[in-house]
Every structure is written in C-alpha cells, then in structure tokens.
C-alpha cells in the first residue's frame, strides 16, 4: 500500500537495503518539529527599537557625519546599496540611465556584506555563481567560496565600475515615501532632512536586513557586554573578520543561536574566549566545505556568457530540475545528484508522482543520515554529538557547510548548552539560564537572525504612501498583492525587489539580477515614450495573485511539516503564506515568465500613462 503524507512523505515501497528505517525517521522528524512549535510564531522575537535600538548602531563609521539636506529631483532613486540596489543601478546604467541616486543607512555599499563582518564570515554558495556581474567586471573570485571581505570589496567594485558613488546618499535612513499624484513624482523624506523627488523608485531593502532579538524574559537585564552578530563589536573583541579576537582572552562568552552565522563564528570565538557557551535550540545540518583556490587554467577555458549559464545550471539543479551536467558540484547540488544517481542505478524505478516523492524523500533521509554520521565521527563527547544531530528534511532549514564548527565542540573551553528545542529560559543580570542552571557571562552575542515574514514596512524601516495616501502595509493587510512580486496597484512607478510572489533562489543575487533586468526594461520603456506613470492594472494584479495562490500548494505541504524557522514563518504557515510566500512554481519558471513577458513586448498587466 502507498499513502501520501502531508509533508510530501510517501509511505510504502521497498525499504530494504536503505540502511535506515523511513518510518522511524519520519516519526522522529515529526516529534522534533512538534516540540518546537509554539503559538507565538514570529511574535517570539522583539523588535530592535526603543531600548534595544543601540543593537542597530553602525560600528564601522566614525560618529558625527553631517551633510546639507537635499530637495532636488532625480530620475530614479534606489533605496538600498546591497546587491539589489547595486544590480538595479548597474543594469540601469547599462541601459543608459544616467540620473540615478542610491540611498542607504550604511556608510558604504555592500548591504548584508557591509553589516555582517563577524569573524569567519564567508558565503557558502559557490562564488562563481553567487557574486554578481563577474563578467562585466572581469573579476574572478579567489576561491570557490568567498570570504566576506572579498564580497564586500566586490560590491564596492561594482559601484565604482558603474559610477554609482557619483550621487549616493550614505548614512541616510529613509523615513517616508509619498506618491504625489499631481506631479507624478515620489517624495522621499529622510532622517537627514531631505525631501527629494524621483520619477521612478526602486525598493531594494533586502530580505534579511533587520536584525531580530529573541524575546527571552529578562533580556534587558543583562549587565555584561552584548551585541548582535550583524554589528560585530571588534572594539570589544579585538581582531577582524579573519579572527584573532584577542579582546576575548579571559572572557566568558555566550552565543545564542546555531544558524549559519553562529556556525561560522563559533570556531573563532572558541579559540579566543576563556570559555564559550553555545546556546542551541535547533542544530543546523553541517556538511563538508571543500574550498579550493580558483584554478587559472579553468578560468581560461571560460567563454562569454559562462556566468549566466553557471547560475542557471545551479539554480535549476537546486530547484530539482535535472540538468545534463552539474557544473557546481557541491553540497547544494549533491542531494539532487544523489536522487538522479539513485534513479540511474535503479534505486528509484517508480516514476509515478508518489514514486518520485518517495525517491526524493529517501535521498533526503540518506543525505541527513550522512550529516548525522559526520557529527558522530567528529564530535568526541557522545551526548554533545547526539544533541548536534539535526532531525528534519534538509531544506527545512538553511543547510550549512563548515569544517571547523563541529570540531570546536571538542575543545575543553567550548560547551554546547542544548535547550532541547525549548530555547533559552531567561536572561539575568549575570548571564543566561537554561534548565534552571545559570551560565555567568562577560559577553553575550546574539546570532539570532533577521526578521522574515514581518510587515514589509517594518523591515524596511519606513512607510510607503501610495495614491490617496494609502500605505503599502494597509494595502497588503489582507495579503500581498502584486504583479510578478514587483508592482502593486496604487503605487505607480514603484518597483519592489523582494521575495513575496517572486521566485526562490538559494543564491539570492540571482533573483535580484533577474529583477534588476526586468525593472530596467520597464523603466527604459517608460522613459522612451516619456510616460508619466507605469502602474499595474487591477486585472493584472488579480491574475498574478490567483496564480501564486494556486502554485503555493506545491511547497506549502512540505514546509508545513518542517521544524519551525524562517523558511516556514516559524511553523505558522497559513492561507496567508500561500499568498505572501515565494512563487510556488519555482524560480526557473518564474524567470521564464519574466523573460517571456518582456519578449511579448506589450507590458501586459501594466498601464502606461
Ligand atoms: P538564523 O535565523 O538562521 O538563526 C537564528 C538562530 O537563533 C537559530 O539557530 C535559532 O534557533 C536561534 N534562536 C532564536 N531564538 C532562540 C532562543 N530563544 N533560544 C535559543 N536559540 C534561539 O540566523 P543566521 O544569522 O544564522 O542566518 C540567517 C541567514 O543568513 C541564513 O539562513 C542564510 O540565509 C544567511 N547566511 C548565510 C551564510 C552563508 O553563506 N554561510 C552565513 C550567515 C548567514 P531555531 O533554529 O530553533 O529557530
């Protein structure tokens, strides 16, 4: 008998020779999920404002920056100087748009790579696919996986190449955006007293830009030093993103969180601190990271268009679309390759939807069994090893890749404090309490992640007022409504580079690049005909929203049954998630939709006045 589970699991089929029992694993996954589910979902986190606002301060600029307010007009204003803003700026420049201004609260370009400079920071998506505009800049990353400093430098190189420093406003926080219907202009007000105007507006504020703090009772009481990992305080810790944290000598340090950030910085902190306590709620899956330096001979074989081709190949593979070859060939693409090899070797010979789902689930079990096996082979203490084993399907949480993280728990001065899925109990004046035991600390680091799934305006840090003064937040109160995730009715000439109703990519700049090409096409079309405004029609918007809801079912069941995290709105998926999530048809299909839409040429679903 074959039964389909809600989680995409498919019971039945031959299990002999697998080396694991799917039923037992399925039950264990469910138990682990259930004990982490909590009623407050995203509300468990506290907003970083008011008494917590100092956690947002920029540690990388000198205080005292001032400039005169601006009241001028620009053709295009791009909000955000990370990869989204840089790609929008670059693509617009390539299309001949000269009058562009970027605005960012940071002191330079780089976005997430500007803020995140914690020790060990690196990107574990392959650099040859992750770093944007490699061919345009004639740049080849030094290694297969770039460290943060190289990515930050590359961001700034993009800005120089496309002359985006020319009219940039750094250390400037947008406060409000208003559409002025009479003038057909956006009015941008900032904390520097600016009141600029723009004909077109791009919102490139990023998906994981706003640090979040866990709402742990007593969080405001701690009297030691504390900071969020995305604002690393090197004045306190000493060292830099390569480590050497001499300021932590003799210090008892705690880290809350065991996601991708923590995984990268724990080895460095463990090396420097007198004692490091790692407070864990859910373990990450940690795969091997093989990081060879770039082979110049391989570089010479590359021909024009290689970068887009490689991005497409990677994106298709991690989206589950078989390709003739796996160009990236790493932990991300491995799971798909395993599945295909399984099919080729006859491990999967049932090509019905249930048969394929079962093969996918078995490939997932196999992969996660090897991840758990790796923990056991590296971590010497059996109880610690057991606690570090992840029990969920691989893409329920972001997979991590690291060679020193697990090893760090073999150090005598590093202790894993496993909260058994419950999270830290409370924070006191002196430290952190778990299971009734207080761990006294000199320094507490929050590697607790970033807001996801909260209101767009809250994450962006400003309200967008469209036609008639209606905010984007109010417009979306009943669910996100867009065409292609980019245009919202009532917000003419406004281009949103964001995730809802757009395609999910493991390599986020890939999505940003497609969005940048798309908005450039529309803006230049508008400019060519001297249009006043470009706006999505009611029908255009409704059609896309319906299409998104229909497609959301594909991934909805999978995430519904995952352990909670930001991939599934902290375990609170609902009907809203179907509407507010990524485009369920997958990013390869989404990019094709955008490409075909442009090729068709009539700007279908938009009205141009
Ligand atoms: P995450 O959101 O991934 O991790 C937050 C961590 O905090 C989780 O382990 C979470 O546990 C834990 N946590 C939250 N509340 C509590 C609590 N009350 N008690 C104990 N633990 C708690 O944030 P990261 O900054 O690690 O990563 C964010 C994203 O940034 C990544 O997913 C990735 O997309 C990107 N990134 C990529 C990197 C790379 O390329 N290698 C490196 C760093 C970041 P739980 O899992 O139970 O919720």
């Amino acid at each position: 008998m074959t039964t389909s589970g809600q989680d995409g699991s498919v019971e039945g089929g031959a299990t002999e020779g697998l080396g694991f029992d799917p039923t037992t694993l399925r039950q264990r996954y469910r138990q682990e999920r259930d004990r982490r589910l909590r009623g407050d979902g995203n509300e468990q986190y506290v907003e970083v404002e008011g008494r917590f606002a100092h956690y947002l301060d920029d540690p990388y600029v000198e205080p005292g920056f001032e400039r005169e307010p601006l009241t001028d007009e620009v053709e295009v204003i791009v909000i955000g100087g990370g990869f989204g803003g840089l790609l929008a700026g670059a693509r617009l420049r390539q299309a001949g748009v000269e009058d562009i201004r970027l605005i960012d609260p940071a002191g330079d370009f780089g976005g997430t790579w500007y803020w995140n400079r914690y020790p060990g920071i690196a990107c574990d998506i392959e650099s040859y696919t992750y770093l944007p505009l490699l061919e345009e800049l004639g740049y080849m990353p030094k290694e297969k996986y770039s460290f943060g400093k190289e990515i930050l430098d590359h961001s700034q190189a993009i800005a120089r190449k496309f002359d985006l420093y020319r009219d940039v406003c750094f250390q400037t926080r947008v406060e409000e955006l208003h559409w002025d219907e009479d003038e057909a202009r956006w009015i941008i007000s900032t904390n520097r007293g600016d009141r600029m105007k723009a004909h077109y507006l791009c919102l490139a504020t990023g998906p994981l830009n706003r640090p979040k703090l866990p709402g742990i009772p007593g969080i405001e009481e701690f009297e030691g030093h504390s900071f969020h990992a995305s604002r690393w305080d090197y004045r306190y810790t000493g060292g830099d993103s390569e480590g050497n944290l001499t300021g932590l000598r003799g210090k008892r340090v705690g880290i809350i969180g065991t996601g991708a950030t923590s995984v990268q910085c724990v080895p460095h902190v463990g090396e420097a601190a007198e004692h490091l306590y790692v407070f864990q709620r859910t373990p990450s899956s940690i795969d091997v990271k093989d990081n060879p330096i770039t082979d110049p001979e391989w570089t010479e074989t590359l021909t024009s268009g290689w970068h887009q081709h490689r991005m497409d190949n990677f994106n298709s593979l991690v989206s589950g679309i078989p390709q003739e070859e796996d160009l990236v060939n790493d932990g991300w693409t491995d799971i798909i390759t395993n599945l295909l090899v399984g099919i080729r070797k006859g491990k999967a010979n049932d090509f019905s939807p249930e048969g394929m789902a079962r093969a996918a689930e078995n490939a997932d079990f196999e992969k996660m069994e090897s991840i758990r096996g790796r923990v056991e082979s590296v971590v010497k203490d059996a109880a610690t090893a057991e606690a570090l084993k992840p029990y969920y399907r691989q893409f329920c949480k972001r997979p991590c890749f690291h060679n020193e993280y697990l090893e760090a728990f073999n150090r005598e001065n590093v202790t894993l404090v496993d909260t058994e899925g419950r999270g830290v109990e409370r924070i006191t004046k002196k430290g952190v309490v778990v299971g009734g035991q207080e761990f006294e600390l000199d320094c507490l680091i929050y590697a607790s992640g970033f807001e996801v799934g909260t209101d767009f305006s809250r994450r962006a840090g400003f309200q967008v007022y469209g036609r008639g003064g209606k905010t984007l937040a109010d417009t979306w109160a009943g669910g996100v409504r867009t065409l292609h995730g980019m245009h919202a009715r009532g917000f003419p000439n406004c281009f949103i580079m964001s995730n809802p109703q757009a395609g999910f990519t493991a390599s986020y700049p890939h999505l940003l690049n497609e969005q940048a090409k798309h908005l450039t096409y529309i803006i230049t079309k508008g400019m060519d005909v001297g249009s006043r405004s470009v706006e999505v029609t009611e029908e255009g918007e409704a059609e896309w929203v319906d299409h998104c809801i229909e497609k959301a079912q594909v991934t909805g069941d999978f995430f519904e049954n995952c352990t909670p995290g930001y991939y599934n709105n902290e375990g609170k998926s609902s009907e809203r998630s179907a509407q507010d999530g990524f485009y369920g048809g997958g990013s390869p299909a989404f990019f094709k939709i955008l490409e075909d839409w442009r090729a068709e040429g009539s700007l279908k679903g938009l009205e141009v006045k």
Side-chain angles (χ1 to χ4, degrees):
M1 194 181 83
T2 295
T3 51
S4 286
Q6 282 183 327
D7 52 358
S9 65
V10 184
E11 294 177 19
T15 58
E16 61 277 7
L18 287 176
F20 52 83
D21 176 15
T23 310
T24 311
L25 283 177
R26 236 176 258 130
Q27 275 165 0
R28 177 77 193 267
Y29 285 15
R30 185 133 329 149
Q31 276 163 8
E32 294 292 339
R33 177 201 73 150
D34 288 350
R35 69 175 162 151
R36 286 173 174 82
L37 280 177
R38 41 192 288 169
D40 52 1
N42 252 321
E43 298 305 313
Q44 67 181 283
Y45 296 101
V46 292
E47 205 169 341
V48 185
E49 58 171 17
R51 65 203 156 128
F52 298 117
H54 61 279
Y55 283 104
L56 290 179
D57 289 349
D58 185 345
Y60 319 117
V61 290
E62 295 302 322
F65 169 78
E66 282 183 28
R67 66 165 170 79
E68 290 300 309
L70 291 162
T71 53
D72 55 351
E73 181 172 324
V74 183
E75 189 65 27
V76 186
I77 284 192
V78 181
I79 301 179
F83 280 150
L86 286 164
L87 279 158
R91 296 296 180 206
L92 284 162
R93 277 274 199 269
Q94 282 180 319
V97 181
E98 283 303 312
D99 197 10
I100 307 171
R101 173 177 296 155
L102 281 96
I103 305 179
D104 199 288
D108 209 326
F109 287 105
T112 199
W113 299 101
Y114 174 90
W115 295 111
N116 288 280
R117 302 188 195 191
Y118 56 80
I121 184 163
C123 182
D124 52 28
I125 301 284
E126 193 205 51
S127 58
Y128 319 124
T129 66
Y130 180 82
L131 265 64
L133 301 164
L134 287 178
E135 285 191 71
E136 287 80 351
L137 266 75
Y139 183 71
M140 188 48 79
K142 294 181 203 133
E143 286 139 311
K144 188 168 171 80
Y145 302 98
S146 294
F147 286 92
K149 175 77 172 65
E150 185 180 26
I151 306 175
L152 181 59
D153 289 348
H154 183 66
S155 307
Q156 294 164 4
I158 294 171
R160 283 193 299 277
K161 166 86 183 175
F162 292 97
D163 197 16
L164 300 173
Y165 278 101
R166 194 201 303 166
D167 192 14
V168 71
C169 292
F170 287 134
Q171 300 192 55
T172 302
R173 204 170 277 285
V174 170
E175 290 185 334
E176 279 181 6
L177 301 169
H178 284 265
W179 172 249
D180 181 328
E181 181 70 16
D182 295 335
E183 288 198 57
R185 292 291 180 273
W186 282 96
I187 315 289
I188 295 103
S189 318
T190 76
N191 65 337
R192 302 257 163 220
D194 304 311
R195 230 182 124 72
M196 325 159 180
K197 291 181 191 171
H199 194 182
Y200 295 99
L201 181 69
C202 298
L203 304 181
T205 48
L208 294 167
N209 63 319
R210 203 174 166 84
K212 68 184 181 198
L213 292 173
I216 300 168
I219 186 170
E220 65 290 341
E221 285 172 23
F222 183 61
E223 289 179 351
H225 194 71
S226 66
F227 54 87
H228 190 276
S230 68
R231 304 287 190 276
W232 196 273
D233 189 354
Y234 284 109
R235 279 166 302 198
Y236 180 85
T237 67
D240 56 25
S241 67
E242 290 179 11
N244 199 24
L245 310 173
T246 49
L248 293 182
R249 288 209 183 112
K251 300 261 172 22
R252 298 157 302 172
V253 182
I255 294 187
I256 295 184
T258 49
T261 295
S262 182
V263 166
Q264 293 184 333
C265 66
V266 154
H268 292 283
V269 180
E271 209 173 278
E274 179 186 296
H275 204 99
L276 169 63
Y277 297 94
V278 180
F279 298 99
Q280 170 180 279
R281 189 164 67 180
T282 310
S284 283
S285 79
I286 320 286
D287 209 343
V288 181
K289 180 167 170 181
D290 186 20
N291 195 15
I293 56 165
T294 304
D295 175 1
E297 281 182 27
W298 166 71
T299 306
E300 287 196 0
T301 64
L302 300 172
T303 51
S304 173
W306 72 267
H307 191 213
Q308 184 71 47
H309 178 59
R310 198 172 182 93
M311 288 194 284
D312 290 337
N313 179 265
F314 175 75
N315 191 43
S316 298
L317 279 169
V318 295
S319 304
I321 301 170
Q323 302 292 293
E324 285 202 348
E325 57 178 336
D326 175 357
L327 292 173
V328 172
N329 198 12
D330 70 358
W332 288 93
T333 58
D334 187 42
I335 184 162
I336 307 298
T337 313
N338 273 349
L339 174 62
L340 298 179
V341 169
I343 290 169
R344 260 185 255 124
K345 283 188 181 160
K347 272 199 216 168
N349 48 15
D350 174 357
F351 299 103
S352 66
E354 292 80 15
M356 292 303 285
R358 188 165 45 238
E361 192 193 27
N362 281 342
D364 198 315
F365 282 145
E366 199 171 316
K367 179 79 212 177
M368 292 305 276
E369 282 286 282
S370 86
I371 296 278
R372 291 186 281 267
R374 180 165 181 250
V375 179
E376 212 162 86
S377 67
V378 175
V379 179
K380 295 191 179 119
D381 176 69
T384 305
E386 203 47 44
L388 283 164
K389 290 182 187 171
Y391 282 93
Y392 44 80
R393 286 187 71 161
Q394 185 171 44
F395 288 103
C396 281
K397 280 194 179 282
R398 188 189 192 283
C400 298
F401 303 86
H402 211 281
N403 299 343
E404 288 92 36
Y405 175 73
L406 294 171
E407 191 66 58
F409 293 98
N410 290 332
R411 297 180 66 102
E412 291 208 338
N413 69 327
V414 176
T415 304
L416 178 75
V417 184
D418 182 37
T419 67
E420 295 176 354
R422 287 188 291 271
V424 164
E425 209 167 291
R426 73 171 282 116
I427 294 178
T428 64
K429 277 202 277 197
K430 291 192 192 153
V432 166
V433 180
V434 174
Q437 186 185 346
E438 184 179 57
F439 297 85
E440 291 193 9
L441 303 170
D442 299 298
C443 175
L444 179 55
I445 300 166
Y446 292 101
S448 46
F450 303 86
E451 287 196 19
V452 181
T454 51
D455 174 57
F456 177 86
S457 312
R458 168 169 155 174
R459 278 179 289 123
F462 51 79
Q463 284 288 1
V464 191
Y465 296 86
R467 191 181 307 102
K470 192 166 178 190
T471 64
L472 192 58
D474 285 343
T475 307
W476 285 355
V480 170
R481 299 191 65 78
T482 72
L483 170 63
H484 300 152
M486 185 172 273
H487 317 274
R489 177 94 183 141
F491 298 82
N493 293 1
C494 174
F495 297 81
I496 305 166
M497 299 175 87
S498 188
N499 328 336
Q501 301 183 359
F504 173 83
T505 45
S507 176
Y508 199 65
H510 189 165
L511 169 64
L512 296 171
N513 188 31
E514 298 303 323
Q515 290 175 321
K517 286 192 256 179
H518 197 68
L519 67 87
T520 297
Y521 170 85
I522 300 166
I523 289 176
T524 48
K525 276 253 180 183
M527 287 171 70
D528 286 350
V529 296
S531 88
R532 208 180 117 79
S533 68
V534 181
E535 185 180 359
V536 59
T537 61
E538 252 175 62
E539 308 76 62
E541 194 178 71
E543 239 177 72
W544 184 250
V545 172
D546 289 347
H547 181 61
C548 287
I549 292 172
E550 183 196 322
K551 287 285 176 188
Q553 288 317 115
V554 179
T555 50
D557 291 346
F558 177 87
F559 285 116
E560 179 94 32
N561 285 278
C562 275
T563 191
Y566 77 83
Y567 275 22
N568 69 351
N569 197 29
E570 301 299 335
K572 290 197 107 178
S573 16
S574 61
E575 278 170 28
R576 274 289 299 274
S577 327
Q579 191 169 335
D580 294 1
F582 279 105
Y583 173 67
S587 56
F590 177 72
F591 297 155
K592 180 81 171 54
I593 290 170
L594 295 189
E595 203 181 315
D596 290 349
W597 184 93
R598 295 195 295 270
E600 193 267 336
S602 74
L603 303 183
K604 193 164 175 269
L606 296 181
E607 67 194 8
V608 182
K609 288 188 196 150

